[in-house]
Amino acid sequence: MKEHTQLKEFWESRLQSDWTESGVGYKQLGRAFNIWMYRVRAEGFRREVATLGLDLRDARVLDVGSGTGFYVRRWQELGAKSILGCDLTEAAVRRLRDRFPSAHFLQLDIADPRGALDPASFDVVSAMDMLFHITDDSRYRAALRSIGEAVRPGGVFVLSENFLHRPEQRGDHQVNHTLPWITAALDEAGFDVVRRVPMLVLMNAQVDAHPVWRKLWGGLLRAVTLTEVTGWLAGALLYPLERRLVRALRESPTTELMICRRR
């Protein structure tokens, strides 16, 4: 497992060289395929947040791990006016400030924000596709505690994770925790789970599937995305099926979206 300073350097370098969907997504599959993948993510995010009945015009929104600002854009589309984004890297924050002049951005480590976030001052917090990159368990729980302290009682926390039913998986730059481990950490941070739904099904690594299927499907995805042209075609073909699957299934072998409420 990499040390925190090494992970920060990794993401600083990666986002400095590739501030696109592939830089923050499944890089091995190329940008064209990731663009299609993020279209599915966007639809699921908008659909689930819209069901909460939030009046985002008067809400304060915090987006954690903003990256390229993909979910900052989604919040703006949903009507949010007051948005604070944050990211671990200077490479992302510098560009985010130029891309979203009406929003505000801070460079901070959510596991140790050092007083940068006012307590109980946000109505909604999102942490999308980033928590599994906190590879130190104590720092992961600290990040959730920081988020719990930032959101007001009754406020909403939207996150995406892999929520494994199988044993956890640990790598240098990503740790996939089990569903019970994550829900226990959320409970410790003061959150109650409202619901959990698939965000992707086939268009991402099958981390919670049988190892044979995971290896076969992963190999196929990498084979059909060897070039940007074939990656675009593969994404275009999978996109309509993926949209149906995320609506029809209750469990996913890959990334899921969870909505929580602060006690």
Side-chain angles (χ1 to χ4, degrees):
M1 185 176 68
K2 299 287 187 182
E3 296 293 331
H4 174 63
T5 54
Q6 294 175 301
L7 288 171
K8 185 179 183 300
E9 290 169 359
F10 169 82
W11 286 107
E12 194 76 63
S13 174
R14 177 158 162 168
L15 294 183
Q16 181 65 43
S17 61
D18 185 6
W19 197 59
T20 70
E21 293 84 355
S22 63
V24 295
Y26 195 159
K27 191 174 181 67
Q28 291 88 340
L29 302 185
R31 186 184 180 194
F33 186 85
N34 272 276
I35 288 173
W36 285 106
M37 185 197 300
Y38 271 91
R39 288 183 183 179
V40 180
R41 279 186 163 110
E43 290 181 15
F45 181 85
R46 287 194 298 262
R47 180 173 61 251
E48 293 303 318
V49 172
T51 66
L52 297 173
L54 300 170
D55 185 357
L56 291 171
R57 294 170 299 177
D58 297 320
R60 290 197 71 204
V61 176
L62 170 65
D63 182 59
V64 179
S66 295
T68 62
F70 182 83
Y71 292 99
V72 173
R73 183 75 71 196
R74 306 290 80 77
W75 286 120
Q76 289 182 334
E77 292 170 352
L78 287 163
K81 304 298 182 185
S82 176
I83 303 173
L84 174 65
C86 63
D87 198 272
L88 182 64
T89 67
E90 190 274 335
V93 171
R94 183 182 69 252
R95 292 164 170 171
L96 285 164
R97 287 170 176 163
D98 291 336
R99 177 172 285 182
F100 300 98
S102 65
H104 300 279
F105 296 93
L106 296 175
Q107 182 183 356
L108 62 81
D109 175 3
I110 192 59
D112 185 17
R114 298 176 183 272
L117 303 174
D118 293 332
S121 60
F122 296 94
D123 302 284
V124 188
V125 179
S126 55
M128 306 300 296
D129 311 322
M130 56 76 58
L131 286 167
F132 41 61
H133 292 304
I134 303 177
T135 59
D136 182 291
D137 291 355
S138 62
R139 292 182 61 81
Y140 189 112
R141 289 191 292 267
L144 290 184
R145 287 195 298 271
S146 296
I147 293 169
E149 291 168 1
V151 67
R152 64 168 177 79
V156 172
F157 178 33
V158 186
L159 66 148
S160 61
E161 253 284 8
N162 290 315
F163 302 111
L164 298 188
H165 297 277
R166 295 174 180 273
E168 72 173 21
Q169 302 158 8
R170 309 192 75 91
D172 284 344
H173 303 113
Q174 181 167 325
V175 172
N176 298 319
H177 289 291
T178 66
L179 174 61
W181 191 94
I182 297 170
T183 53
L186 286 164
D187 179 70
E188 178 187 285
F191 289 106
D192 293 323
V193 176
V194 176
R195 65 177 174 274
R196 174 176 54 88
V197 298
M199 195 168 199
L200 295 166
V201 177
L202 293 175
M203 296 182 78
N204 204 359
Q206 306 288 281
V207 293
D208 205 18
H210 190 281
V212 174
W213 169 251
R214 179 181 180 180
K215 185 174 182 179
L216 287 173
W217 185 251
L220 178 62
L221 281 183
R222 288 188 291 274
V224 299
T225 57
L226 284 175
T227 72
E228 289 297 287
V229 172
T230 59
W232 190 94
L233 289 171
L237 290 171
L238 275 175
Y239 174 70
L241 174 61
E242 190 78 333
R243 294 180 69 207
R244 289 175 173 83
L245 289 174
V246 296
R247 287 174 175 264
L249 299 180
R250 298 185 64 182
E251 296 281 348
S252 167
T254 184
T255 311
E256 295 175 320
L257 182 147
M258 178 180 279
I259 293 176
C260 302
R261 197 170 291 277
R262 182 71 165 90
R263 290 194 292 272

